[in-house]
Amino acid sequence: MNKHVSPKMNRRAFVVGTAAVGAGLAIGLDLPFGGPAMVRAADGSPEVNAWVVVKPDDTVVIRIARSEMGQGSLTGLAQLVAEELECDWSKVTTEYPTPGQSVARKRAWGDFSTGGSRGIRSSQDYVRKGGATARVMLIEAAANEWKVPASECTVAKGVITHKASGKTTTYGKVAEAAAKLTPPADVKLKDPKDWTIAGKGLLRLDTAEKTNGKMIYGIDVKLPGMLNAAIKDCPVFGGKLKSYDEAKITGMKGVKKVVKVGDTAVAVVADTWWHAKTALEALPIVWDEGENAKVSSESIAKWLAEGLDDAQPAYVGNKNGDVKAAIAGAAKKLEAVYNYPYQNHATMEPMNATALYTADKCEVWCGTQNGEAVFAAVLEASGLSAEKCDMYKVMPGGGFGRRGQTDYVRQAVLIAKEMPGTPVKLLWSREEDMAHGRYHPITQCKMTGAFDANNNLVALHYRLSGQSILFSLRPEALQNGMDPAAFQGVAQSGEAAIGYSVPNLLVEHAMRNPHVPPGFWRGVNVNHNAIYMECFMDELAHAAGQDPLEFRRKLMGNHPKHLAVLNAVAEKIGWDKPAPQGIYRGIAQVMGYGSYVAGAAEISVTEGNKIKVHRIVASTDPGYVVNPAQVERQIAGSFVYGLSALFYGGCTVKDGKIEQTNFDTFNSMRINEMPKVESVMVPSGGFWGGVGEPTIGVAAPAVLNAYFAATGKRIRSVPLRDQNITFA
Amino acid sequence: MANLTINGKTFTLDVEPDTPLLWAIRENVGLTGTKYGCGIAQCGACTVHMDGVAMRSCGVSVSEAEGKKITTIEGLASGDTLHKVQAAWIAKDVPQCGYCQSGMIMAVAALLAEKPKPTDADIDEAITNICRCGTFQQVREAIHTIASA
């Protein structure tokens, strides 16, 4: 049963992909900051450098390489550039460079990938330098014109002033001259304490078109003569397309062509998508489902459960002391087994891409979290060289990690290749999207805690069994077979380090990779690890007869940043005071994506199984906060995503296929089920953590721990739907 | 063929009578602000007004829509004057990815037309759209802001 979908590693794509990544690692601070060869934007305005174009009317165009998908980093990154540039925020607009342009300019804009809550934290340094460098050049251009030392010139809101002579000019007037200058070798960045644009809760730059229907998402792309495609891929992962009876749909309205896509899928191309989908549903298809058709949720659960046995091999991710000896000699021990299911991203906009192929050019329009990965997929699927390919990013209707993958792009190009010269938009139905996700990995975890005679926790054995994402998606990142990301939130050190000191600790992972393809799903491995660790901490506290907060605090003396956010939520929710009548509290903390986060929930339970969440408090220390209004929204949104997964999510497998087909079987929280999230930001500075994901980790354990407080029952299995527990 | 009145204009469309209104609006009329999310009237991304009532257009056929006054997100504003829900959405920075927001805005506009000062309970009952980004907190705040204006 150890079947998995091997990543197809086309040599061309691999070379492009790694070359691109290698350059990214190498460039670091050596990103080109302009000159001496001048580059002009499409409208002729001079580029001061790759990040900044100033138009004669003083409009500043800030280039953004990372993808906006709702998380707000387009605005945040623009704030960081504008802060250093000292331009007028009201005159700022943004644009995306294309991956093709970037590759042609030796990757001038660095890494395009937007995942792992990296949008801001991984590019803040060089985009700020881009802004600062442009400022220095613009001032120098003015000083040169006035024949005064640049050091005597000041700038505010894009207006340069030489106080002694009383001269002033604007960025728009000197941009042409500035673009010809040699950029300074080094620039000093502002202390965040002095920020006036960054650090403020400014309104997003991309809202208006989201309120009037004008924002173009991938599904909305229109090209002259464009046709539309609907697709069905073999519902059993790893299965193949055997045959289809095209004659049965010949003559159906609007149908133009039926296309076999790779070895596994068939698409119908028609004038409209509705016609394409209608014909596809009428098309008789025979699948060669293969061995994986024997796999079910039950068989996967049994296989994972076997991995919890210490006799089975496992990778050690975090270890100190001698856990086995300490447990054997303990005064008291506690054991519990938890599990977490597959989850579909279920972005509101199903996967789609529009492709136009000719013998000497291939172009793709789509929403993506990784423009360069799409670019590599276009090269691979088209068979054309880099200079003949490009992709254009449009707004994605949600990403959550799903749009970091490019399976749907490859399909679109393969279909378009069958119709050279005709643009084809491929759109997945919701049902196809549910059947062909890149699912949150499935895991189980057995935890054993041991106490001495004084109820001190002396040992903790944390044994994971289940799927590795990197094994499927980035095998080159495995370390002697071990998936280091599997230990997110319970790692010894780094950006997802455990917040507890236990004298004897063993964290290990028995890797078992079922055939269902895993993916990076908002929060990724932090989601289940935080549930396992934080719910078990609650169990241990209860077993020790101690308050869950006090029990944790005793283990967190060496983890002041973890403790600070935990204390912040405890204070805000009023942990030291009794909860209102009928209300019960739960608390949790974790570290992920470089940020320290904690959450607390107040709930009531009626009829034993109906939960109402009354209050949520969440705190984060991401080092720096670039836009507090957007951070607040990301925190609240992460709770909606995390609690939807807890209550309603979960994908099950039958006959090798995913059983859930749409939002009727894979539900999502509505407004009536979601309380206000009270966020507490405690940025302590000195490091840059992520924001989009970390807090999702504490959503589920805070509620599960509150459920125990209310009912005395431990829930160790997600989703609650399958435990007959729902929202009140 | 179907005759539809959308945003005050009449369209004669070459579509089968059972074509969902959603796809007629998007593909035959060419107004793409109304979004496809599920196709089974679960998520609300395709919400439009039919004679002022919020309807999930994926579950309405063009034959059922004939003779009705249909308004989409593109027709919500009066010329250059934004509808109060659109204005509040901008002032309160409600959308994240924004994909569900056309439907969310249409649902809220219909609620406010019926109940200008909705309670939280009214909002809970009337607004059942899915938003995977999780903008509910801003949606609720924006509704109350409009109601108290």
PDB file of all heavy atoms in Angstrom, chain B residues 6-27:
ATOM      1  N   ILE B   6     -31.193  42.753 -17.764  1.00  0.00           N
ATOM      2  CA  ILE B   6     -30.088  42.770 -16.798  1.00  0.00           C
ATOM      3  C   ILE B   6     -29.544  44.185 -16.687  1.00  0.00           C
ATOM      4  O   ILE B   6     -29.157  44.786 -17.688  1.00  0.00           O
ATOM      5  CB  ILE B   6     -28.968  41.798 -17.232  1.00  0.00           C
ATOM      6  CG1 ILE B   6     -29.535  40.370 -17.332  1.00  0.00           C
ATOM      7  CG2 ILE B   6     -27.792  41.850 -16.252  1.00  0.00           C
ATOM      8  CD1 ILE B   6     -28.568  39.366 -17.902  1.00  0.00           C
ATOM      9  N   ASN B   7     -29.521  44.682 -15.471  1.00  0.00           N
ATOM     10  CA  ASN B   7     -29.025  46.041 -15.196  1.00  0.00           C
ATOM     11  C   ASN B   7     -29.690  47.070 -16.110  1.00  0.00           C
ATOM     12  O   ASN B   7     -29.040  47.972 -16.625  1.00  0.00           O
ATOM     13  CB  ASN B   7     -27.492  46.092 -15.347  1.00  0.00           C
ATOM     14  CG  ASN B   7     -26.812  45.112 -14.408  1.00  0.00           C
ATOM     15  OD1 ASN B   7     -27.361  44.752 -13.362  1.00  0.00           O
ATOM     16  ND2 ASN B   7     -25.622  44.656 -14.778  1.00  0.00           N
ATOM     17  N   GLY B   8     -30.982  46.876 -16.333  1.00  0.00           N
ATOM     18  CA  GLY B   8     -31.757  47.841 -17.097  1.00  0.00           C
ATOM     19  C   GLY B   8     -31.689  47.687 -18.608  1.00  0.00           C
ATOM     20  O   GLY B   8     -32.344  48.420 -19.335  1.00  0.00           O
ATOM     21  N   LYS B   9     -30.895  46.736 -19.070  1.00  0.00           N
ATOM     22  CA  LYS B   9     -30.806  46.519 -20.524  1.00  0.00           C
ATOM     23  C   LYS B   9     -31.425  45.177 -20.877  1.00  0.00           C
ATOM     24  O   LYS B   9     -31.373  44.229 -20.083  1.00  0.00           O
ATOM     25  CB  LYS B   9     -29.337  46.506 -20.972  1.00  0.00           C
ATOM     26  CG  LYS B   9     -28.678  47.856 -20.960  1.00  0.00           C
ATOM     27  CD  LYS B   9     -27.267  47.724 -21.541  1.00  0.00           C
ATOM     28  CE  LYS B   9     -26.399  48.895 -21.129  1.00  0.00           C
ATOM     29  NZ  LYS B   9     -24.985  48.571 -21.180  1.00  0.00           N
ATOM     30  N   THR B  10     -31.945  45.094 -22.099  1.00  0.00           N
ATOM     31  CA  THR B  10     -32.535  43.829 -22.530  1.00  0.00           C
ATOM     32  C   THR B  10     -31.571  43.101 -23.462  1.00  0.00           C
ATOM     33  O   THR B  10     -30.982  43.708 -24.353  1.00  0.00           O
ATOM     34  CB  THR B  10     -33.871  44.091 -23.257  1.00  0.00           C
ATOM     35  OG1 THR B  10     -34.709  44.819 -22.371  1.00  0.00           O
ATOM     36  CG2 THR B  10     -34.554  42.785 -23.622  1.00  0.00           C
ATOM     37  N   PHE B  11     -31.425  41.826 -23.204  1.00  0.00           N
ATOM     38  CA  PHE B  11     -30.526  41.005 -24.018  1.00  0.00           C
ATOM     39  C   PHE B  11     -31.317  39.842 -24.611  1.00  0.00           C
ATOM     40  O   PHE B  11     -32.086  39.193 -23.903  1.00  0.00           O
ATOM     41  CB  PHE B  11     -29.393  40.431 -23.162  1.00  0.00           C
ATOM     42  CG  PHE B  11     -28.495  41.471 -22.567  1.00  0.00           C
ATOM     43  CD1 PHE B  11     -28.807  42.069 -21.343  1.00  0.00           C
ATOM     44  CD2 PHE B  11     -27.335  41.863 -23.229  1.00  0.00           C
ATOM     45  CE1 PHE B  11     -27.979  43.030 -20.790  1.00  0.00           C
ATOM     46  CE2 PHE B  11     -26.498  42.824 -22.674  1.00  0.00           C
ATOM     47  CZ  PHE B  11     -26.822  43.409 -21.457  1.00  0.00           C
ATOM     48  N   THR B  12     -31.124  39.596 -25.887  1.00  0.00           N
ATOM     49  CA  THR B  12     -31.704  38.408 -26.505  1.00  0.00           C
ATOM     50  C   THR B  12     -30.558  37.422 -26.714  1.00  0.00           C
ATOM     51  O   THR B  12     -29.611  37.695 -27.453  1.00  0.00           O
ATOM     52  CB  THR B  12     -32.369  38.759 -27.849  1.00  0.00           C
ATOM     53  OG1 THR B  12     -33.375  39.733 -27.582  1.00  0.00           O
ATOM     54  CG2 THR B  12     -33.008  37.532 -28.473  1.00  0.00           C
ATOM     55  N   LEU B  13     -30.631  36.321 -26.005  1.00  0.00           N
ATOM     56  CA  LEU B  13     -29.489  35.404 -25.959  1.00  0.00           C
ATOM     57  C   LEU B  13     -29.821  34.073 -26.636  1.00  0.00           C
ATOM     58  O   LEU B  13     -30.913  33.529 -26.457  1.00  0.00           O
ATOM     59  CB  LEU B  13     -29.092  35.133 -24.502  1.00  0.00           C
ATOM     60  CG  LEU B  13     -28.816  36.363 -23.626  1.00  0.00           C
ATOM     61  CD1 LEU B  13     -28.532  35.928 -22.192  1.00  0.00           C
ATOM     62  CD2 LEU B  13     -27.651  37.173 -24.177  1.00  0.00           C
ATOM     63  N   ASP B  14     -28.830  33.557 -27.356  1.00  0.00           N
ATOM     64  CA  ASP B  14     -28.969  32.261 -28.005  1.00  0.00           C
ATOM     65  C   ASP B  14     -28.516  31.174 -27.021  1.00  0.00           C
ATOM     66  O   ASP B  14     -27.386  30.696 -27.065  1.00  0.00           O
ATOM     67  CB  ASP B  14     -28.110  32.241 -29.277  1.00  0.00           C
ATOM     68  CG  ASP B  14     -28.150  30.886 -29.960  1.00  0.00           C
ATOM     69  OD1 ASP B  14     -29.078  30.101 -29.678  1.00  0.00           O
ATOM     70  OD2 ASP B  14     -27.249  30.609 -30.779  1.00  0.00           O
ATOM     71  N   VAL B  15     -29.406  30.854 -26.095  1.00  0.00           N
ATOM     72  CA  VAL B  15     -29.072  29.847 -25.068  1.00  0.00           C
ATOM     73  C   VAL B  15     -30.237  28.876 -24.914  1.00  0.00           C
ATOM     74  O   VAL B  15     -31.383  29.217 -25.211  1.00  0.00           O
ATOM     75  CB  VAL B  15     -28.786  30.486 -23.693  1.00  0.00           C
ATOM     76  CG1 VAL B  15     -27.511  31.305 -23.720  1.00  0.00           C
ATOM     77  CG2 VAL B  15     -29.959  31.336 -23.226  1.00  0.00           C
ATOM     78  N   GLU B  16     -29.908  27.677 -24.415  1.00  0.00           N
ATOM     79  CA  GLU B  16     -30.955  26.712 -24.118  1.00  0.00           C
ATOM     80  C   GLU B  16     -31.704  27.210 -22.880  1.00  0.00           C
ATOM     81  O   GLU B  16     -31.115  27.833 -21.993  1.00  0.00           O
ATOM     82  CB  GLU B  16     -30.362  25.323 -23.839  1.00  0.00           C
ATOM     83  CG  GLU B  16     -29.552  24.721 -24.984  1.00  0.00           C
ATOM     84  CD  GLU B  16     -28.167  25.327 -25.135  1.00  0.00           C
ATOM     85  OE1 GLU B  16     -27.365  25.244 -24.181  1.00  0.00           O
ATOM     86  OE2 GLU B  16     -27.899  25.922 -26.204  1.00  0.00           O
ATOM     87  N   PRO B  17     -33.012  26.909 -22.802  1.00  0.00           N
ATOM     88  CA  PRO B  17     -33.811  27.438 -21.687  1.00  0.00           C
ATOM     89  C   PRO B  17     -33.343  26.959 -20.314  1.00  0.00           C
ATOM     90  O   PRO B  17     -33.568  27.640 -19.310  1.00  0.00           O
ATOM     91  CB  PRO B  17     -35.224  26.918 -21.966  1.00  0.00           C
ATOM     92  CG  PRO B  17     -35.170  26.149 -23.230  1.00  0.00           C
ATOM     93  CD  PRO B  17     -33.800  26.171 -23.785  1.00  0.00           C
ATOM     94  N   ASP B  18     -32.655  25.806 -20.273  1.00  0.00           N
ATOM     95  CA  ASP B  18     -32.220  25.306 -18.956  1.00  0.00           C
ATOM     96  C   ASP B  18     -30.822  25.793 -18.587  1.00  0.00           C
ATOM     97  O   ASP B  18     -30.259  25.384 -17.569  1.00  0.00           O
ATOM     98  CB  ASP B  18     -32.289  23.773 -18.914  1.00  0.00           C
ATOM     99  CG  ASP B  18     -31.357  23.123 -19.922  1.00  0.00           C
ATOM    100  OD1 ASP B  18     -30.800  23.848 -20.787  1.00  0.00           O
ATOM    101  OD2 ASP B  18     -31.176  21.890 -19.852  1.00  0.00           O
ATOM    102  N   THR B  19     -30.236  26.655 -19.400  1.00  0.00           N
ATOM    103  CA  THR B  19     -28.916  27.210 -19.047  1.00  0.00           C
ATOM    104  C   THR B  19     -29.025  27.976 -17.729  1.00  0.00           C
ATOM    105  O   THR B  19     -29.923  28.804 -17.565  1.00  0.00           O
ATOM    106  CB  THR B  19     -28.419  28.175 -20.145  1.00  0.00           C
ATOM    107  OG1 THR B  19     -28.371  27.465 -21.377  1.00  0.00           O
ATOM    108  CG2 THR B  19     -27.059  28.735 -19.818  1.00  0.00           C
ATOM    109  N   PRO B  20     -28.139  27.705 -16.777  1.00  0.00           N
ATOM    110  CA  PRO B  20     -28.189  28.489 -15.534  1.00  0.00           C
ATOM    111  C   PRO B  20     -27.977  29.982 -15.817  1.00  0.00           C
ATOM    112  O   PRO B  20     -27.132  30.343 -16.638  1.00  0.00           O
ATOM    113  CB  PRO B  20     -27.043  27.921 -14.701  1.00  0.00           C
ATOM    114  CG  PRO B  20     -26.811  26.554 -15.243  1.00  0.00           C
ATOM    115  CD  PRO B  20     -27.105  26.661 -16.717  1.00  0.00           C
ATOM    116  N   LEU B  21     -28.741  30.790 -15.137  1.00  0.00           N
ATOM    117  CA  LEU B  21     -28.631  32.238 -15.296  1.00  0.00           C
ATOM    118  C   LEU B  21     -27.183  32.696 -15.118  1.00  0.00           C
ATOM    119  O   LEU B  21     -26.700  33.573 -15.833  1.00  0.00           O
ATOM    120  CB  LEU B  21     -29.559  32.929 -14.276  1.00  0.00           C
ATOM    121  CG  LEU B  21     -29.526  34.449 -14.238  1.00  0.00           C
ATOM    122  CD1 LEU B  21     -29.930  35.054 -15.573  1.00  0.00           C
ATOM    123  CD2 LEU B  21     -30.435  34.962 -13.110  1.00  0.00           C
ATOM    124  N   LEU B  22     -26.475  32.089 -14.141  1.00  0.00           N
ATOM    125  CA  LEU B  22     -25.072  32.443 -13.890  1.00  0.00           C
ATOM    126  C   LEU B  22     -24.248  32.408 -15.174  1.00  0.00           C
ATOM    127  O   LEU B  22     -23.504  33.352 -15.477  1.00  0.00           O
ATOM    128  CB  LEU B  22     -24.461  31.472 -12.866  1.00  0.00           C
ATOM    129  CG  LEU B  22     -22.925  31.484 -12.757  1.00  0.00           C
ATOM    130  CD1 LEU B  22     -22.430  32.820 -12.229  1.00  0.00           C
ATOM    131  CD2 LEU B  22     -22.439  30.344 -11.865  1.00  0.00           C
ATOM    132  N   TRP B  23     -24.377  31.308 -15.921  1.00  0.00           N
ATOM    133  CA  TRP B  23     -23.513  31.147 -17.102  1.00  0.00           C
ATOM    134  C   TRP B  23     -23.990  32.011 -18.251  1.00  0.00           C
ATOM    135  O   TRP B  23     -23.192  32.471 -19.066  1.00  0.00           O
ATOM    136  CB  TRP B  23     -23.388  29.665 -17.454  1.00  0.00           C
ATOM    137  CG  TRP B  23     -22.639  28.967 -16.360  1.00  0.00           C
ATOM    138  CD1 TRP B  23     -23.154  28.181 -15.370  1.00  0.00           C
ATOM    139  CD2 TRP B  23     -21.239  29.097 -16.080  1.00  0.00           C
ATOM    140  NE1 TRP B  23     -22.166  27.792 -14.496  1.00  0.00           N
ATOM    141  CE2 TRP B  23     -20.983  28.325 -14.904  1.00  0.00           C
ATOM    142  CE3 TRP B  23     -20.176  29.771 -16.681  1.00  0.00           C
ATOM    143  CZ2 TRP B  23     -19.703  28.223 -14.341  1.00  0.00           C
ATOM    144  CZ3 TRP B  23     -18.903  29.664 -16.125  1.00  0.00           C
ATOM    145  CH2 TRP B  23     -18.686  28.900 -14.963  1.00  0.00           C
ATOM    146  N   ALA B  24     -25.288  32.271 -18.307  1.00  0.00           N
ATOM    147  CA  ALA B  24     -25.787  33.199 -19.328  1.00  0.00           C
ATOM    148  C   ALA B  24     -25.241  34.599 -19.061  1.00  0.00           C
ATOM    149  O   ALA B  24     -24.808  35.302 -19.980  1.00  0.00           O
ATOM    150  CB  ALA B  24     -27.307  33.206 -19.326  1.00  0.00           C
ATOM    151  N   ILE B  25     -25.241  34.996 -17.791  1.00  0.00           N
ATOM    152  CA  ILE B  25     -24.709  36.315 -17.421  1.00  0.00           C
ATOM    153  C   ILE B  25     -23.214  36.395 -17.739  1.00  0.00           C
ATOM    154  O   ILE B  25     -22.737  37.349 -18.352  1.00  0.00           O
ATOM    155  CB  ILE B  25     -24.948  36.603 -15.916  1.00  0.00           C
ATOM    156  CG1 ILE B  25     -26.439  36.820 -15.642  1.00  0.00           C
ATOM    157  CG2 ILE B  25     -24.133  37.808 -15.462  1.00  0.00           C
ATOM    158  CD1 ILE B  25     -26.781  36.881 -14.152  1.00  0.00           C
ATOM    159  N   ARG B  26     -22.479  35.371 -17.336  1.00  0.00           N
ATOM    160  CA  ARG B  26     -21.019  35.408 -17.492  1.00  0.00           C
ATOM    161  C   ARG B  26     -20.573  35.241 -18.941  1.00  0.00           C
ATOM    162  O   ARG B  26     -19.691  35.968 -19.416  1.00  0.00           O
ATOM    163  CB  ARG B  26     -20.359  34.299 -16.657  1.00  0.00           C
ATOM    164  CG  ARG B  26     -20.355  34.556 -15.153  1.00  0.00           C
ATOM    165  CD  ARG B  26     -19.583  33.463 -14.412  1.00  0.00           C
ATOM    166  NE  ARG B  26     -18.218  33.344 -14.914  1.00  0.00           N
ATOM    167  CZ  ARG B  26     -17.200  34.135 -14.532  1.00  0.00           C
ATOM    168  NH1 ARG B  26     -17.394  35.071 -13.623  1.00  0.00           N
ATOM    169  NH2 ARG B  26     -15.999  33.969 -15.056  1.00  0.00           N
ATOM    170  N   GLU B  27     -21.161  34.259 -19.628  1.00  0.00           N
ATOM    171  CA  GLU B  27     -20.615  33.886 -20.933  1.00  0.00           C
ATOM    172  C   GLU B  27     -21.364  34.492 -22.105  1.00  0.00           C
ATOM    173  O   GLU B  27     -20.762  34.751 -23.143  1.00  0.00           O
ATOM    174  CB  GLU B  27     -20.601  32.361 -21.066  1.00  0.00           C
ATOM    175  CG  GLU B  27     -19.780  31.705 -19.975  1.00  0.00           C
ATOM    176  CD  GLU B  27     -19.405  30.274 -20.288  1.00  0.00           C
ATOM    177  OE1 GLU B  27     -20.312  29.417 -20.414  1.00  0.00           O
ATOM    178  OE2 GLU B  27     -18.198  29.992 -20.404  1.00  0.00           O
TER     179      GLU B  27
END
